[in-house]
């Protein structure tokens, strides 16, 4: 984490935080409270899933008066906390966020901000009126590799950005788990995939370019994971399927054989992981054939945009790849930068010399290479010190969300949209 010596806000009391939603993301962010209890204390949790509520309450010694199954009960009375973390599913961001702001709590809000642009704007407006800080968990701004790109661009050593190619390979395993079978498969429950998955990328690109989007167009569809593409002989569940052994999308292979993407399968007391996996394959949503799910988000999308300062951006998001990374190629007036999260190359046109930055040692490190902890660190500082500016304030984040919502409008209408 980027801490250099004693800082002015240090020595103040720990920031008190209540987590709403105690799933995957919260388990990452509370690592900060585990490591630095003198800076952050988890003083409450709201979670509908009993097993998760019990686990986190036990770990942080929370009493029953600090645990809630319904966030309306939590907000119904004043509670001794400075801030709230909102890490619930995407259709449950806006309402608790507005309630937290109205109660005067600072908010660390998981992305996407909300499901509609007017809701995003409303959160920003109410936070301003109420004088509370809302930080959005745009992890790339806190990630050492992406920060290095920003540092090089801002240094001016390569001149001015002219264009950027940015490719997001979401990765087949991640996509099947999240966007075909799982929690982000339906846009009305989560969001269109560009917003759910790539609001980080649009935020990163606008952060680099430092100029608003002027116009854009976008194309994409759900091309493959539809029932009419189911191969003959396939069945509704991989565990009963005759052609499972040849299928690259098999849930049996992903979860049971390879034990990948199983972190969100809770193992209740008295059960084994083996039993939970088999039960999921037989009856759960993750055991379904990818051609017989109720998914409706795209499986590929492109976006072209031009910013006010005439930078052009080519963006594409693909799931048909084993890669799970972001590749960026930035062309500037005096050189170029290209990288894939493990290696970053910086080239000056005049000298034709390459400078290589190697990130392979941190690329697969936990907590998004430490970025998750950097997010919380930034938020804790901002809550402790009124003057400290968040790296991802809500106003900036609304701007990148606006581009994503407009891109979706363009994809659906087939028109270039002027912002
Ligand atoms: N910043 C990132 O890199 C990143 C990565 C993945 C997910 N996310 C976002 O984080 C958010 C949470 O995702 P996740 O992966 O932790 O999902 P998750 O399903 O693991 O966790 C969400 C939790 O919210 C709980 N919940 C549901 N309804 C609730 C309610 N009414 N009150 C209280 N709790 C409730 C669920 O039981 C679950 O435990 C989503 O918005 C997602 O898009 C961000």
């Amino acid at each position: 984490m980027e801490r250099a010596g004693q800082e002015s806000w240090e020595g103040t009391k720990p920031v008190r935080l209540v987590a709403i939603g105690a799933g995957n993301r919260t388990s990452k962010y509370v690592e900060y409270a585990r490591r630095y209890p003198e800076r952050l204390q988890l003083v409450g949790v709201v979670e509908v899933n009993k097993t998760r509520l019990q686990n986190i309450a036990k770990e942080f010694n929370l009493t029953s008066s600090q645990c809630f199954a319904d966030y309306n009960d939590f907000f119904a009375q004043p509670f001794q906390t400075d801030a709230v973390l909102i890490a619930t599913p995407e259709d449950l961001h806006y309402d608790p966020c507005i309630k937290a702001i109205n109660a005067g709590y600072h908010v660390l809000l998981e992305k996407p901000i909300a499901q509609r642009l007017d809701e995003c704007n409303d959160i920003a407006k109410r936070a301003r009126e109420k004088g509370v800080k809302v930080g959005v968990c745009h992890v790339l701004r806190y990630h050492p590799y992406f920060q290095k790109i920003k540092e090089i661009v801002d240094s001016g050593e390569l001149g001015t950005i002219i264009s950027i190619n940015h490719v997001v390979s979401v990765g087949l395993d991640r996509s099947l788990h999240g966007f075909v079978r799982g929690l982000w498969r339906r846009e009305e429950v989560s969001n269109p995939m560009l917003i759910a998955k790539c609001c980080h990328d649009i935020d990163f690109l606008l952060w680099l370019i430092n100029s608003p989007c002027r116009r854009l167009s976008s194309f994409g569809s759900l091309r493959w994971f539809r029932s009419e593409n189911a191969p003959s002989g396939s069945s509704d569940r991989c565990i009963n399927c005759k052609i499972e052994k040849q299928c690259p999308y098999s849930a049996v292979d992903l979860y049971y054989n390879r034990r990948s993407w199983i972190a969100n399968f809770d193992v209740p007391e008295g059960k084994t992981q083996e039993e939970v996996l088999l039960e999921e394959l037989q009856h759960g949503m993750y055991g379904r054939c990818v051609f017989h799910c109720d998914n409706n988000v795209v499986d590929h999308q492109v976006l072209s945009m031009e910013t006010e300062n005439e930078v052009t951006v080519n963006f594409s998001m693909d799931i048909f790849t084993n890669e799970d990374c972001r590749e960026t190629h930035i062309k500037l007036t005096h050189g170029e930068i290209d990288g894939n999260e493990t290696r970053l190359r910086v080239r000056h046109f005049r000298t034709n010399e390459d400078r290589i930055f190697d990130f392979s040692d941190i690329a697969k490190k936990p907590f998004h290479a430490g970025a998750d902890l950097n997010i919380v660190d930034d938020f804790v500082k901002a809550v402790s010190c009124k003057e400290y500016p968040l790296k991802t304030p809500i106003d900036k984040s609304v701007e990148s969300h606006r581009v994503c919502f407009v891109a979706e409008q363009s994809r659906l209408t087939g028109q270039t949209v002027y912002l």
Side-chain angles (χ1 to χ4, degrees):
M1 251 175 318
E2 325 150 356
R3 275 172 180 268
Q6 185 79 15
E7 297 182 54
S8 59
W9 64 274
E10 282 187 309
T12 55
K13 283 190 204 150
V15 166
R16 296 164 300 177
L17 181 79
V18 171
I20 304 185
N24 164 44
R25 294 310 299 158
T26 290
S27 74
K28 304 289 191 296
Y29 296 131
V30 297
E31 176 67 15
Y32 189 93
R34 286 184 195 108
R35 291 190 192 183
Y36 311 107
E38 72 288 3
R39 298 179 200 159
L40 182 70
Q41 265 177 15
L42 188 72
V43 294
V45 65
V46 187
E47 169 60 63
V48 286
N49 177 314
K50 267 193 193 153
T51 308
R52 291 182 185 180
L53 185 63
Q54 278 166 6
N55 287 348
I56 195 166
K58 193 169 161 199
E59 186 188 349
F60 287 90
N61 293 319
L62 302 177
T63 62
S64 58
S65 65
Q66 295 171 297
C67 296
F68 302 84
D70 184 334
Y71 66 75
N72 290 306
D73 294 338
F74 163 68
F75 287 117
Q77 64 212 332
F79 195 91
Q80 295 299 308
T81 187
D82 304 299
V84 161
L85 162 67
I86 297 179
T88 39
E90 297 176 22
D91 55 339
L92 289 169
H93 284 190
Y94 176 71
D95 188 46
C97 188
I98 289 294
K99 288 186 167 126
I101 293 170
N102 288 343
Y105 304 134
H106 300 288
V107 182
L108 183 58
L109 175 61
E110 252 308 348
K111 52 56 50 179
I113 301 171
Q115 289 183 299
R116 296 197 326 244
L117 184 57
D118 61 335
E119 292 176 341
C120 298
N121 285 324
D122 194 34
I123 289 174
K125 179 172 160 275
R126 296 225 206 168
R128 268 195 309 275
E129 287 166 359
K130 198 78 186 174
V132 297
K133 296 185 181 180
V134 177
V136 181
C137 299
H138 281 307
V139 69
L140 305 189
R141 288 194 187 215
Y142 297 90
H143 189 289
Y145 164 87
F146 294 95
Q147 287 178 331
K148 179 53 86 180
I149 297 179
K150 172 75 173 156
E151 183 191 308
I152 297 164
V153 167
D154 283 359
S155 75
E157 66 168 289
L158 297 174
T160 303
I161 302 180
I162 301 295
S163 66
I164 306 182
N165 278 323
H166 184 77
V167 177
V168 182
S169 296
V170 182
L172 197 57
D173 287 351
R174 178 193 292 276
S175 303
L176 299 178
H177 175 75
F179 298 95
V180 179
R181 296 189 175 101
L183 297 176
W184 293 276
R185 71 190 185 280
R186 292 195 67 82
E187 60 179 47
E188 63 278 17
V189 181
S190 55
N191 262 305
M193 189 160 166
L194 185 73
I195 298 166
K197 179 64 189 158
C198 301
C199 63
H200 286 313
D201 299 274
I202 304 301
D203 177 74
F204 166 64
L205 293 166
L206 292 178
W207 184 48
L208 277 189
I209 298 167
N210 203 15
S211 175
C213 177
R214 178 196 288 168
R215 57 181 169 168
L216 60 76
S217 61
S218 182
F219 305 94
S221 65
L222 174 56
R223 164 72 179 78
W224 187 237
F225 295 116
R226 309 194 304 223
S227 55
E228 63 266 37
N229 293 324
S232 66
S234 61
S235 82
D236 286 358
R237 288 197 168 267
C238 302
I239 200 159
N240 309 318
C241 180
K242 282 193 232 123
I243 58 166
E244 182 277 320
K245 291 266 179 297
Q246 303 105 60
C247 179
Y249 318 122
S250 162
V252 174
D253 187 46
L254 177 64
Y255 301 119
Y256 193 80
N257 300 348
R258 289 192 276 135
R259 304 281 156 132
S260 288
W261 293 95
I262 58 171
N264 68 332
F265 299 152
D266 298 315
V267 182
E269 251 177 57
K271 289 217 169 194
T272 63
Q273 187 184 67
E274 181 91 0
E275 287 167 339
V276 167
L277 286 180
L278 287 173
E279 211 169 290
E280 189 62 41
L281 290 171
Q282 272 152 3
H283 308 291
M285 68 179 182
Y286 295 100
R288 295 178 297 173
C289 167
V290 286
F291 297 103
H292 297 297
C293 292
D294 54 347
N295 53 314
N296 64 8
V297 300
V298 301
D299 51 24
H300 65 307
Q301 187 163 356
V302 294
L303 163 66
S304 300
M305 70 175 179
E306 184 182 49
T307 56
E308 293 284 354
N309 61 355
E310 295 177 51
V311 174
T312 49
V313 176
N314 247 323
F315 165 92
S316 104
M317 179 201 72
D318 299 289
I319 75 173
F320 295 91
T321 164
N322 277 335
E323 299 298 325
D324 192 337
C325 71
R326 296 174 157 98
E327 291 160 280
T328 314
H329 194 164
I330 308 167
K331 282 104 174 190
L332 303 99
T333 50
H334 289 68
E336 57 190 313
I337 304 171
D338 66 277
N340 61 1
E341 290 189 56
T342 51
R343 182 177 181 272
L344 190 65
R345 184 178 65 161
V346 179
R347 169 172 289 174
H348 283 254
F349 292 145
R350 180 63 205 239
T351 59
N352 208 23
E353 272 172 14
D354 285 353
R355 208 158 82 238
I356 306 291
F357 297 90
D358 184 3
F359 287 88
S360 49
D361 57 334
I362 64 155
K364 298 287 172 213
K365 282 230 167 117
F367 307 108
H368 285 131
D372 294 340
L373 304 180
N374 292 340
I375 289 179
V376 185
D377 192 56
D378 191 49
F379 183 70
V380 164
K381 286 175 184 166
V383 171
S384 308
C385 171
K386 205 171 172 210
E387 291 74 38
Y388 181 90
L390 275 166
K391 281 197 179 70
T392 55
I394 182 79
D395 293 310
K396 293 275 177 221
S397 193
V398 165
E399 191 51 35
S400 52
H401 278 58
R402 184 160 85 107
V403 170
C404 294
F405 283 111
V406 171
E408 201 49 21
Q409 183 190 334
S410 167
R411 184 180 77 81
L412 295 172
T413 60
Q415 288 177 352
T416 296
V417 183
Y418 287 75
L419 278 89

